[in-house]
Amino acid sequence: MPRGRYSLHDPHDHTPVAHEHFQCAPGPSGWRYVSRLTTPTGEHTGSVDLTLDDLGRPLRLELHASSWQVRGAALEGVTWVRTDPTGTEATEGNVPAHAFTGTSPAFLVATSRLLRLTPSSSATRVRLVAFTDPVLAPRTVDQSWALLRREAHPTDNGPLTVDEYQVTALDTGEQHTVHLAGDVVLAAPGIELEDLETPPSAFD
């Protein structure tokens, strides 16, 4: 069960945004990731709880940020309920999309699980609903994912397989690179793995 800490920063000016303290593991249903977010000074700001099924689809998502809350799942596309800080206003949403995304590294792992690309695969288009900080506002985005290479790196615990993805935002053409090892993000724009207590879990 990987457990550790990511530091999140603005990918443009590198301003520190938060620390994400996480743990994740494959389970009976597929894969689960839970985390809590703190400011760089240690104040609690939110949390992520994401469960995927064996095919990488979101069985359950619960996000908290700035007293806003989102609960969602894959249902006729993806469906969610977003609740305001007072708890009096709840807005339902549904989009014919494949999954969710957001600032948490969990969503990069989730998208890779959903697509199951190989280095010989062509680039694959995916539609996602992104929940943007700080109020978890939903926005539909289209991306293209390609697995550029898969390499095994020697470690004290045996070889570590690292996948390098190229992700393209189809509305702007902007491209960036994501490095994953199993269910841990090694590097991505705005994300840095600062601490990892146990090795990544290997997916089948």
Side-chain angles (χ1 to χ4, degrees), residues 1-24:
M1 178 184 294
R3 181 191 305 264
R5 183 179 73 254
Y6 295 108
S7 64
L8 308 182
H9 56 266
D10 187 301
H12 302 291
D13 63 13
H14 303 290
T15 302
V17 175
H19 292 296
E20 186 159 340
H21 308 262
F22 74 95
Q23 62 185 60
C24 56

Side-chain angles (χ1 to χ4, degrees), residues 90-147:
T91 305
E92 294 187 15
N94 173 265
V95 170
H98 300 95
F100 300 110
T101 191
T103 55
S104 173
F107 294 114
L108 298 175
V109 177
T111 303
S112 74
R113 289 299 297 151
L114 180 71
L115 298 179
R116 297 174 185 265
L117 300 177
T118 65
S120 60
S121 302
S122 57
T124 299
R125 179 174 178 151
V126 61
R127 173 162 288 182
L128 305 167
V129 173
F131 294 106
T132 56
D133 294 331
V135 295
L136 302 179
R139 183 170 62 94
T140 303
V141 298
D142 291 304
Q143 296 178 343
S144 171
W145 280 59
L147 178 54

Side-chain angles (χ1 to χ4, degrees), residues 55-74:
L55 298 178
R57 298 172 300 192
L59 275 180
R60 176 178 174 271
L61 171 68
E62 185 169 328
L63 299 176
H64 293 266
S66 303
S67 299
W68 290 82
Q69 175 182 288
V70 165
R71 294 176 185 264

